[in-house]
């Protein structure tokens, strides 16, 4: 009986700990959990996917969005897209960086430089994008999340679910609609009207997004693999690849973190077992 | 539980030191020989776990401070710099952030254990009061720490929470400006919060010293709540409880590591990965989970009470929900310490726990939403009423009307009975 009570009360307090997620007010369609390669305890990035995601980022996203926390050198680090150092050097050399100490104020980028922003500053970025600067993408995959209804979010602590950001990004990029679907209402019940210069998106809070649909089928040309297999060049695939790349930008050391996590867990469980045995033997002599 | 010291200096040097600063004698008396009731259950290990967590937070915090920049333009990126470029930084940062949650998880269990087993009753009132003081210090420290990464939730939490003091008549505004270091949350706020966030843990450590001192005067309470009668009731702290606490700490580290290594952001809020922006208000401003019950109480008062407007009313109830804890030793009139021997108390106690969890859930819900079909605003009021009624009405009255079950004459006999019952069960 006491055991049951103990477990119940521990559960209770665990429940408070789990009560964090905000209940979605702007209830759009529920965002699906995608099967990411980097999910779960043994998750690792798919290097090819990160390279494709980088290609999408570079050819599409980076014309409006910055990624100020990413350095060129990160692209060759282990656990990431793992381009060769030569590739990264050549890539960096294609960009010029503002540098007041250089002649003329700019110089060619080197691997140690951060990814150059497409605009000189936020004002200029806002000016060119209908009044709102496109957000930086460095930690975007952790700055967005999905929500599940009670009691399903409790599962997130057990699985553990840390891919809400990529799920949201994938949903957003595939969630555009040419026309406002019939019968769309605002949260207060009035009919939904799309403001001038906005686009309809199923998953964007409030549905009216300033970013035009960035992707279309065939927009980015993926290289064919040596054995001739080709990755589909569809909006869904691009979104998936970019979402994975965004996760890598936000968590470049995710693979190493999970690997050490496994070691730590094994260590702690074994240590706890040993401690328990020692504790039991010590207390065996005491009636308690 | 004063006892003779068994320390005998082993050689001339030890004797020389002992005559001048008996620190080894002190340590032997309090960390090794200290007689501790032999029937303490695992709920009692959370004291040791909390001491461990304080050390973890201070050590990781000091390292983080070496790499962190308390400036509105650089704070956010400096935290990312720690995660990306500092050796081991991503682990140290995650341990500190998840550690705050684990710290609160442990302190809630520690407090609820005290409330169940009557650990606040005479002669342990000061011990309990110091504990409540520690909790308030922890809340303050955690709140200021949460502001430092300078994300959207950091900024808006700082804005909303400092704004609370503005509700105080006359002196509210000057205090608000003093807290913020200006008219709005800005660089001055970030700087003073960083400074105080570094200071307060050491104040906590000092009060922990007093807390342990106050513990070592009457000695530990125990699950049956009867006083220690003889040495048969106790075991020396070391090795019995050092070993048991150590085991509990290792077990506690398993879920801790689970979050640190597999989901370091799961207990936080995604909005805090957006850099603070005073021009954009997040859709839902939600505190960290460990403040949710008190946040729900703050929000529950959305009506005016006579000349007190709802804002001040909310602040009074919020402050009251913490202050009432200081008076629990005198509000609970029952002479019996342990809840195990109080048949009626148990029901109210477990309802209090459920109510507290419910308050947390309500604190996380949108203010205009529904929970179990009841509007959040109404539900919060009901839970707030029970929170206060438990302390102010139920505990004082229960002591008068409840008939407790008979107490065992001593700890040893309760243990023997317990074993006999087990043996009887086993033979059946």
């Amino acid at each position: 009986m006491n055991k049951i009570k103990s477990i119940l009360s521990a559960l209770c307090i665990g429940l408070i700990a789990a009560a964090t997620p905000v209940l979605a007010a702007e209830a759009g369609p529920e965002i699906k959990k995608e099967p990411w390669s980097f999910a779960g305890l043994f998750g690792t990035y798919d290097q090819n996917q990160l390279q494709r995601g980088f290609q999408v980022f570079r050819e599409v996203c980076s014309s409006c969005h910055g990624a100020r926390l990413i350095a060129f050198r990160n692209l060759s680090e282990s656990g990431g897209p793992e381009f060769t150092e030569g590739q990264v050097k050549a890539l960096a050399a294609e960009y010029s960086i503002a540098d007041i100490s250089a002649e003329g104020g700019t110089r060619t980028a080197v691997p140690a430089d951060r990814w150059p922003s497409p605009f000189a500053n936020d004002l200029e970025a806002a000016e060119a994008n209908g009044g709102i600067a496109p957000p930086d993408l460095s930690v975007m995959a952790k700055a967005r999340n999905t929500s599940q209804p009670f009691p399903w979010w409790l599962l997130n602590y057990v699985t553990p679910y840390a891919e809400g950001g990529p799920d949201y990004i994938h949903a957003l990029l595939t969630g555009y609609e040419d026309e406002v679907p019939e019968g769309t209402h605002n949260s207060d019940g009035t009919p939904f009207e799309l403001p001038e210069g906005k686009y309809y998106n199923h998953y964007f809070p409030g549905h009216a997004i300033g970013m035009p649909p960035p992707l279309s089928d065939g927009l980015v040309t993926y290289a064919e693999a040596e054995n001739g297999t080709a990755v589909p060049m569809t909006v869904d695939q691009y979104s998936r690849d970019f979402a994975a790349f965004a996760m890598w930008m936000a968590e470049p050391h995710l693979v190493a973190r999970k690997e050490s996590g496994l070691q730590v867990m094994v260590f702690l469980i074994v240590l706890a077992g040993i401690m328990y045995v020692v504790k039991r033997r010590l207390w065996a002599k005491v009636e308690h | 539980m004063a006892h003779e010291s068994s320390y005998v200096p082993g050689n001339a040097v030890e004797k020389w030191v002992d005559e001048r600063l008996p620190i080894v004698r002190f340590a032997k008396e309090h960390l090794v020989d200290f007689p501790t009731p032999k029937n303490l259950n695992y709920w009692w290990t959370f004291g040791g776990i909390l001491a461990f967590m304080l050390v973890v937070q201070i050590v990781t915090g000091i390292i983080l401070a070496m790499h962190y920049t308390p400036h509105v333009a650089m704070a956010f990126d400096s935290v990312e710099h720690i995660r990306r470029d500092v050796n081991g930084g991503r682990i140290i940062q995650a341990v500190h952030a998840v550690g705050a949650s684990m710290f609160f998880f442990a302190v809630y269990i520690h407090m609820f254990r005290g409330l169940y087993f009557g650990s606040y009753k005479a002669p342990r009132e000061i011990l309990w009061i110091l504990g409540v003081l520690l909790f308030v210090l922890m809340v303050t420290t955690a709140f200021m720490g949460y502001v430092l990464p300078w994300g959207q939730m950091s900024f808006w939490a700082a804005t909303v929470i400092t704004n609370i003091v503005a509700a105080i008549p006359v002196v509210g505004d000057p205090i608000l400006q003093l807290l913020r270091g200006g008219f709005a949350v800005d660089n001055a706020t970030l700087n003073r919060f960083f400074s105080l966030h570094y200071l307060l843990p050491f104040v906590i450590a000092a009060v922990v010293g007093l807390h342990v001192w106050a513990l070592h005067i009457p000695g530990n309470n125990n699950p049956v709540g009867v006083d220690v009668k003889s040495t048969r009731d106790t075991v020396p702290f070391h090795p019995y409880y050092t070993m048991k606490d150590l085991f509990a700490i290792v077990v506690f580290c398993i879920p801790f590591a689970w979050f640190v290594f597999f989901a370091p952001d799961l207990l936080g809020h995604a909005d805090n990965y957006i850099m603070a922006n005073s021009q954009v208000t997040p859709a839902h401003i939600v505190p960290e989970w460990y403040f949710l019950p008190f946040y729900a109480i703050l929000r529950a008062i959305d009506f005016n009470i006579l000349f007190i407007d709802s804002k001040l009313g909310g602040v009074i109830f919020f402050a009251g929900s913490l202050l009432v804890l200081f008076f629990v030793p005198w509000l609970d009139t029952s002479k019996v310490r342990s809840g195990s021997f109080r048949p009626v108390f148990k029901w109210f106690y477990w309802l209090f726990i459920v109510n507290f969890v419910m308050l947390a859930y309500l604190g996380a819900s949108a203010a205009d939403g529904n929970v179990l079909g009841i509007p959040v605003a109404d539900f919060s009021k009901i839970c707030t009423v029970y929170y206060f009624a438990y302390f102010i009405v139920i505990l004082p009255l229960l002591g008068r009307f409840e008939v407790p079950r008979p107490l065992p004459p001593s700890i040893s006999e309760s243990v023997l009975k317990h074993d006999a019952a087990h043996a009887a069960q086993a033979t059946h």
Side-chain angles (χ1 to χ4, degrees):
Chain A
M1 186 62 194
N2 266 329
K3 282 255 164 66
I4 297 172
K5 262 191 217 154
S6 307
I7 293 165
L8 275 181
S9 40
L11 268 180
C12 273
I13 294 170
L15 275 177
I16 316 183
T20 338
V22 189
L23 312 165
E26 296 280 354
E30 204 180 307
I31 293 173
K32 226 180 114 226
K33 290 184 178 177
E34 299 290 335
W36 301 105
S37 69
F38 46 84
L41 307 194
F42 305 95
T44 56
Y45 289 119
D46 173 346
Q47 191 190 330
N48 291 328
Q49 183 173 45
L50 292 188
Q51 295 202 354
R52 293 195 302 272
F54 171 67
Q55 198 185 343
V56 175
F57 168 72
R58 189 186 173 201
E59 293 178 18
V60 185
C61 316
S62 71
S63 48
C64 298
H65 293 273
R68 68 174 193 280
L69 298 170
I70 303 301
F72 287 102
R73 66 179 164 81
N74 295 140
L75 291 164
S76 62
E77 284 167 3
S78 73
E82 296 191 27
F83 290 107
T84 62
E85 282 183 30
Q87 282 173 312
V88 169
K89 228 175 218 172
L91 175 77
E94 292 178 36
Y95 291 83
S96 66
I97 296 283
D99 182 350
I100 44 166
S101 66
E103 213 179 314
T106 58
R107 61 169 171 77
T108 309
V110 295
D113 282 310
R114 299 291 178 91
W115 189 264
S117 288
F119 302 100
N121 54 50
D122 269 6
L123 281 179
E124 203 182 281
E127 176 72 25
N129 289 282
I132 298 171
D136 188 276
L137 295 178
S138 314
V139 286
M140 185 53 79
K142 293 209 281 185
R144 297 292 184 275
N145 207 349
T146 60
S147 58
Q148 287 78 35
F150 179 83
W152 301 111
W153 49 258
L154 286 170
L155 273 181
N156 295 348
Y157 297 84
V158 186
T159 43
Y161 177 63
E163 292 78 37
D167 281 340
Y168 174 84
I169 292 171
H170 172 258
L172 184 91
L173 292 175
T174 54
Y176 279 93
E177 208 67 60
D178 291 339
E179 280 170 31
V180 179
E182 261 181 66
T184 307
H185 289 277
N186 294 320
S187 52
D188 58 1
T190 52
F192 177 83
E193 264 184 60
L194 197 63
E196 185 74 27
K198 300 278 183 184
Y199 303 85
Y200 185 87
N201 191 297
H202 278 296
Y203 301 99
F204 190 74
H207 299 308
I209 186 170
M211 173 170 75
L215 299 168
S216 55
D217 290 347
L219 181 68
V220 179
T221 310
Y222 285 152
E224 245 179 53
E226 279 161 19
N227 59 10
T229 50
V231 177
M233 292 186 266
T234 59
V235 171
D236 180 74
Q237 189 61 40
Y238 295 149
S239 312
R240 219 171 275 278
D241 294 345
F242 171 69
F245 180 72
M247 190 65 199
W248 171 78
M249 285 199 287
E251 277 278 348
H253 302 295
L254 175 139
V255 176
R257 190 189 78 207
K258 289 190 176 182
E259 276 171 5
S260 35
L262 287 173
Q263 293 166 5
V264 169
M265 291 308 272
V266 170
F267 170 78
L268 282 175
I269 290 167
V270 170
L271 182 63
I274 296 171
M275 291 296 216
Y276 182 66
V277 173
V278 176
K279 186 250 154 201
R280 267 199 78 116
R281 289 201 55 175
L282 180 71
W283 278 81
K285 296 163 248 163
V286 183
E287 276 171 17
H288 66 284
Chain B
M1 205 180 284
H3 56 284
E4 290 301 308
S5 171
S6 64
Y7 176 66
V8 184
N11 55 42
V13 177
E14 281 180 27
K15 192 160 180 293
W16 186 88
V17 172
D18 192 53
E19 279 161 4
R20 285 154 181 83
L21 180 70
I23 188 166
V24 183
R25 177 182 299 274
F26 181 85
K28 178 139 198 320
E29 219 172 294
H30 288 280
L31 303 175
V32 178
D33 293 341
F34 190 74
T36 312
K38 61 184 185 179
N39 61 339
L40 300 188
N41 56 34
Y42 276 101
W43 297 118
W44 260 264
T45 60
F46 281 87
I49 288 171
L50 283 165
F52 166 74
M53 283 313 302
L54 180 62
V55 173
V56 167
Q57 292 301 81
I58 289 181
V59 170
T60 52
I62 286 172
I63 298 169
L64 289 174
M66 295 172 185
H67 302 277
Y68 169 78
T69 313
H71 185 280
V72 288
M74 291 182 271
F76 185 89
D77 284 6
S78 77
V79 175
E80 278 301 320
H81 157 72
I82 291 170
R83 290 197 185 107
R84 287 158 193 270
D85 300 325
V86 173
N87 288 338
R90 59 185 178 274
I91 306 296
I92 296 166
Q93 193 278 335
V95 166
H96 198 72
V98 175
S101 278
M102 299 305 289
F103 207 158
F104 273 96
F105 178 77
V107 87
Y108 280 128
I109 294 196
H110 193 60
M111 291 167 77
F112 286 135
R113 189 268 288 155
L115 284 173
Y116 184 79
F117 292 106
S119 300
Y120 44 80
K121 292 183 191 182
R124 297 185 181 82
E125 298 95 326
I126 292 185
L127 173 61
W128 170 264
I129 288 170
L130 288 168
V132 178
L133 185 64
L134 282 169
F135 178 66
V136 173
L137 283 169
M138 271 179 69
V139 167
T140 317
T141 310
F143 161 65
M144 288 177 173
Y146 190 59
V147 175
L148 303 186
W150 208 241
Q152 271 290 66
M153 267 317 155
S154 300
F155 178 86
W156 289 97
T159 303
V160 170
I161 301 299
T162 52
N163 221 347
I164 286 179
V165 300
I168 303 168
V170 190
V171 292
D173 275 326
I175 295 180
L176 178 64
Q177 282 171 31
L178 184 68
L179 266 179
R180 291 180 175 172
F183 296 107
V185 173
D186 209 333
N187 201 47
T189 324
L190 181 60
N191 271 278
R192 61 192 55 199
F193 277 23
F194 178 52
S195 172
L196 293 172
H197 184 70
Y198 206 120
L199 166 73
L200 287 178
F202 297 98
V203 177
I204 291 179
V207 181
V208 166
L210 295 179
H211 191 63
V212 174
W213 185 5
L215 168 71
H216 278 215
I217 299 302
N220 292 75
N221 183 30
N222 65 79
V224 291
V226 296
D227 286 328
V228 167
K229 301 258 163 56
S230 71
T231 50
R232 282 176 59 229
D233 294 343
T234 64
V235 289
F237 186 73
H238 178 77
Y240 292 97
Y241 283 105
T242 44
M243 191 57 231
K244 189 169 179 174
D245 284 358
L246 213 52
F247 166 59
I249 289 169
V250 174
V251 172
F252 187 78
C253 282
I254 293 174
F256 190 0
W258 175 266
F259 283 113
V260 166
F261 288 99
F262 299 123
D265 301 308
L266 198 50
L267 296 166
H269 199 287
D271 273 24
N272 228 26
Y273 278 101
I274 304 169
M275 194 167 147
N277 183 346
S278 60
Q279 307 301 311
V280 180
T281 318
H284 306 281
I285 301 175
V286 186
E288 291 292 87
W289 70 266
Y290 36 83
F291 296 150
L292 288 173
F294 301 100
Y295 184 64
I297 291 174
L298 176 74
R299 278 201 317 191
I301 312 302
D302 54 3
F303 51 90
N304 300 338
I305 309 160
L306 301 174
F307 57 91
I308 298 169
D309 65 4
S310 61
K311 196 179 168 195
L312 180 58
V315 174
I316 291 172
F317 274 76
F318 171 70
S321 64
L322 292 171
L323 289 177
V324 73
L325 296 172
F326 284 106
F327 299 98
V328 172
W330 295 278
L331 289 169
D332 187 347
T333 51
S334 172
K335 293 276 172 280
V336 176
R337 289 201 192 103
S338 172
S340 308
F341 299 96
R342 302 182 61 189
V344 189
F345 165 86
K346 274 185 195 169
W347 288 96
F348 288 108
Y349 174 84
W350 288 108
L351 186 59
F352 180 78
I353 301 289
V354 172
N355 187 66
F356 195 73
V357 175
M358 207 57 228
L359 276 171
Y361 191 83
L362 291 163
S365 308
D368 53 359
N370 286 293
V371 170
L372 301 175
I374 306 169
V376 167
D378 297 340
F379 211 152
S380 306
K381 287 188 191 78
I382 298 168
C383 292
T384 302
V385 167
Y386 186 75
Y387 180 92
F388 283 99
Y390 178 78
F391 293 116
I392 297 174
V393 182
I394 296 168
L395 286 186
L397 289 183
L398 268 185
R400 270 160 227 241
F401 298 111
E402 185 185 41
V403 183
R405 284 173 35 216
L407 292 176
S410 74
I411 291 172
S412 301
E413 287 190 43
S414 82
V415 169
L416 290 179
K417 248 188 217 153
H418 181 76
D419 286 349
H422 267 269
Q425 256 176 9
T427 50
H428 278 300

